[in-house]
């Protein structure tokens, strides 16, 4: 009878990813199928990660629940979360059907507790890591045999870009062509070990308020931008091929150019939407300007900016160029938070950046913190559960 | 002998025009042939005009010369100016060949003096009005029989958008399809009298420095933007048809939407260029935001922003909506220069604009002056010559 009330637990981490070929626009809003393929770099969980514990028990009463960063989330009305849970339960039912001795976890309510190791104030979209951790944690709880690629089909329905956070290294999300979305999944292009020197410096902009939410923004773009169809149909497929080859060849110059061009192309179709959507600010532009100066000084592309649906700049570079790239920002922004982690401490300040004084002033006034990170691995199972053996959330989560 | 040394003179004004369908990209750089058609509103010369006196005389020695706003310009090395002068001289030779008694003006050196009635600091591209006035003044001096449309072929070679400043009202520049450019000319879509209520409020941004010059920028866009071909081929032709009909129908809502969409489309292909070109700043964005607020409050489109190759906002509206549109800006920017002309004095301040406080602050800090103007007529012959009867520039020009 004690076994009957047992709390089953599994805990996993999941990483953030930042796309270099951007996902913006859906071909199917219900199934979360993208208008084009995308490609991202998974970032180290030393800097940014979500930790999620999935639990279930016969002793639980009430519906499934989720506590996110200490706050109860309303998940009953979230079609996306429900789609993930439904799919995972179906897969668990298959396990139970094959093995009569497997406990009937699929019938038990779920209690999920999730926490990020970075402040929400950082302004980073955490839904990718969040849904990846949720799917991975429940898949572990249910002991599902599916591969990360197969699970990516489920995570995609929670949040499109979440499918790319189920793997480490360099990850493509294939748009697929099937109507049911069964070929719209994530795929590892290269593991961390293939090109481990990749670094990312995130410049977090002191944001006054959120811009247009990405789901609504994407729909506006698809419905109204007359420039977007060319991007979906021809431009991104060509860039995917180019950047995948650049990753295979460890050709940073091509990687950098394509990354910057695709960020600009994405923001161009946003501006071309009606009403127009603008995420880049003068601070973003100062960061672009700084990257251009750094590259001009180097005589080649050693830094690449990219911007998601917000003003924060993510700057990719290779570890040997740390001082020439990140060191310039460290010199001008020595007192902002974030230089003190493992990656940041390794960056030597560089007084010879040559940035123009107006860009420096704009960055100083506009950047509230930095995040120093690097390419990293995929989700990891851990034993630091956020729910105790009796089913209660651990204090402080 | 006195007659032999006579100074022949002709003086004309020419207006500024601001495009609502933008010209950005050439299909032939030598002939200044555009990648797409464009359409502009000619602005009143009460607010903005160039005044140019063309003179020639047997008594002049040395090469052709031009004094612009009091400064001698080097025109011998300007291929564009030379192309205009060569074409105009050829047309004069035809006149002289037909009429043996016509003085051989085509053989005499030209002295040209030109002055704007607005400060260069206003940051307005004056090349359109400048080349239109130059061509019109010399055509008058030479007593050429050509129509404004025929002369637009010549002005176009000086500065593309100059061809649209040879006419008043609503003016199209047809891209044409011929290789020699003989069908790439300006055409009146509607005269001022058809829709005289059109007003324009120009918000001049305190500029730190010039952005990318438009000739170089256009070449970058044509060579590198993967989104631009769709704009040139399909998007602009459809918009030209839509906005011409809107002008014929005096349908301001369609005029406004297409104007704003086309400005955004132009800046989108700039951002999509490599390296990216960005003319819009946070001040421009605050102006867009203000226009969106004004339109939302009105429940329909009563104001339309458009931006050329710089951060200045041009806001079109109809005279009956003066208070609802321009009055909002007058309320928040009462002390900036420019409200005191005929058009500006008619605008009643409006305290009920409903702009958000951040946009207001950005506008207050970023706008250095306003220009209040309206749709206006084409070049006019005047007798206030900038060169006296002896061939000397008039004091102060």
């Amino acid at each position: 009878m004690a076994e009957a009330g047992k709390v089953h637990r599994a805990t996993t981490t999941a990483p953030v990813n930042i796309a270099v070929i951007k996902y913006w626009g859906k071909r199917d809003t219900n199934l979360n199928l993208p208008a084009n393929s995308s490609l991202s770099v998974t970032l180290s969980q030393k800097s940014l990660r979500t930790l999620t514990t999935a639990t279930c028990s016969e002793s639980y009463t009430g519906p499934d629940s989720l506590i996110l960063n200490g706050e109860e989330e309303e998940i009953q009305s979230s079609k996306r979360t429900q789609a993930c849970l439904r799919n995972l339960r179906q897969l668990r039912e298959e396990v139970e059907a094959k093995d009569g001795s497997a406990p009937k976890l699929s019938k038990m309510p779920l209690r999920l507790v999730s926490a990020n190791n970075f402040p929400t104030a950082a302004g980073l979209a955490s839904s990718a890591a969040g849904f990846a951790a949720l799917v991975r944690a429940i898949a572990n709880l249910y002991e599902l045999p599916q591969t990360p690629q197969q699970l990516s089909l489920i995570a995609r329905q929670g949040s499109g870009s979440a499918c790319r956070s189920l793997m480490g290294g360099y990850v493509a999300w294939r748009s697929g062509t099937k109507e049911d979305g069964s070929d719209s999944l994530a795929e590892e292009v290269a593991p961390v070990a293939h090109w481990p020197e990749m670094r990312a410096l995130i410049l977090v902009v002191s944001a006054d308020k959120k811009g247009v939410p990405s789901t609504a923004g994407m729909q506006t773009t698809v419905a109204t931008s007359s420039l977007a169809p060319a991007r979906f149909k021809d431009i991104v497929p060509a860039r995917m091929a180019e950047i995948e080859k650049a990753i295979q060849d460890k050709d940073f110059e091509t990687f950098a150019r394509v990354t910057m061009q695709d960020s600009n192309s994405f923001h161009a179709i946003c501006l071309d939407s009606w009403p127009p959507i603008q995420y880049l600010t003068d601070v973003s532009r100062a960061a672009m300007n700084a990257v251009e100066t750094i590259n001009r000084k180097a005589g080649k592309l050693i830094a690449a900016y990219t911007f998601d649906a917000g003003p924060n700049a993510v700057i990719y570079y290779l570890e040997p160029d740390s001082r020439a790239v990140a060191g310039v920002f460290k010199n001008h922004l020595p007192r902002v938070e974030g230089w003190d982690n493992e990656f940041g401490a390794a960056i030597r300040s560089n007084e010879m950046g040559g940035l123009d004084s107006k860009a420096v002033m704009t960055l100083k006034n506009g950047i509230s913190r930095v995040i120093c990170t690097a390419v990293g691995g995929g989700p990891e199972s851990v034993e630091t559960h956020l729910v105790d053996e009796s089913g209660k959330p651990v204090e402080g989560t």
Side-chain angles (χ1 to χ4, degrees), chain A residues 89-343:
Chain A
R89 277 203 166 92
Q90 275 168 8
L91 296 177
R92 173 64 190 178
E93 282 166 8
E94 290 173 15
V95 170
E96 293 166 7
K98 272 188 201 150
D99 174 5
S101 72
K104 299 288 180 289
L105 303 186
S106 66
K107 304 287 179 265
M108 301 175 190
L110 286 159
R111 276 191 200 163
L112 309 164
V113 178
S114 188
N116 298 326
N117 70 341
F118 53 94
T120 309
L124 292 165
S126 53
S127 64
F131 273 104
L134 179 139
V135 169
R136 182 73 265 177
I138 299 174
N140 291 352
L141 176 73
Y142 286 174
E143 296 180 326
L144 300 182
Q146 276 74 21
T147 63
Q149 192 171 84
Q150 290 167 321
L151 293 175
S152 76
L153 290 167
I154 300 176
R156 184 202 76 222
Q157 296 175 63
S159 169
S161 56
C163 73
R164 297 186 310 239
S165 274
L166 285 169
M167 299 164 201
Y170 303 83
V171 183
W173 173 13
R174 308 296 175 192
S175 64
T177 53
K178 294 189 186 165
E179 274 194 28
D180 67 356
S182 59
D183 57 350
S184 184
L185 41 72
E187 202 170 81
E188 185 191 271
V189 167
V192 181
H194 169 71
W195 204 7
E197 297 85 2
M198 186 67 70
R199 295 288 176 274
L201 172 68
I202 307 178
L203 306 178
V204 179
V205 174
S206 355
D208 298 287
K209 56 171 182 179
K210 279 282 274 185
V212 176
S214 55
T215 299
M218 285 185 198
Q219 287 176 10
T220 300
T221 298
V222 170
T224 65
S225 167
S226 49
L227 295 173
R231 172 174 165 82
F232 299 150
K233 187 169 170 294
D234 299 315
I235 299 168
V236 167
R239 285 202 185 123
M240 283 293 289
E242 197 174 6
I243 207 162
E244 285 185 58
K245 183 171 187 307
I247 292 167
Q248 298 305 346
D249 298 347
K250 299 196 256 185
D251 166 5
F252 187 82
E253 285 219 77
T254 302
F255 175 88
R257 177 179 50 75
V258 175
T259 293
M260 293 188 274
Q261 287 178 326
D262 201 68
S263 176
N264 294 337
S265 167
F266 150 47
H267 290 281
I269 64 165
C270 285
L271 177 56
D272 187 55
S273 303
W274 184 254
I277 302 163
Q278 299 191 76
Y279 294 117
L280 304 179
T281 68
D282 284 356
V283 182
S284 316
R285 251 191 303 286
M288 292 171 73
N289 179 293
V291 167
E292 285 172 358
T293 302
I294 287 166
N295 286 332
R296 196 165 46 241
K297 234 177 123 74
K300 59 179 182 173
L301 303 183
I302 60 170
Y305 55 72
T306 186
F307 298 85
D308 279 348
N312 296 344
V314 177
I315 300 170
Y316 285 115
Y317 60 95
L318 296 178
E319 194 279 331
D321 295 316
S322 281
R323 191 176 191 185
V325 181
V328 173
F329 293 96
K330 195 174 193 178
N331 173 53
H332 289 296
L333 305 165
R335 273 176 293 277
V336 309
E337 236 182 301
W339 296 110
D340 52 358
N341 73 355
E342 172 188 329
F343 298 110

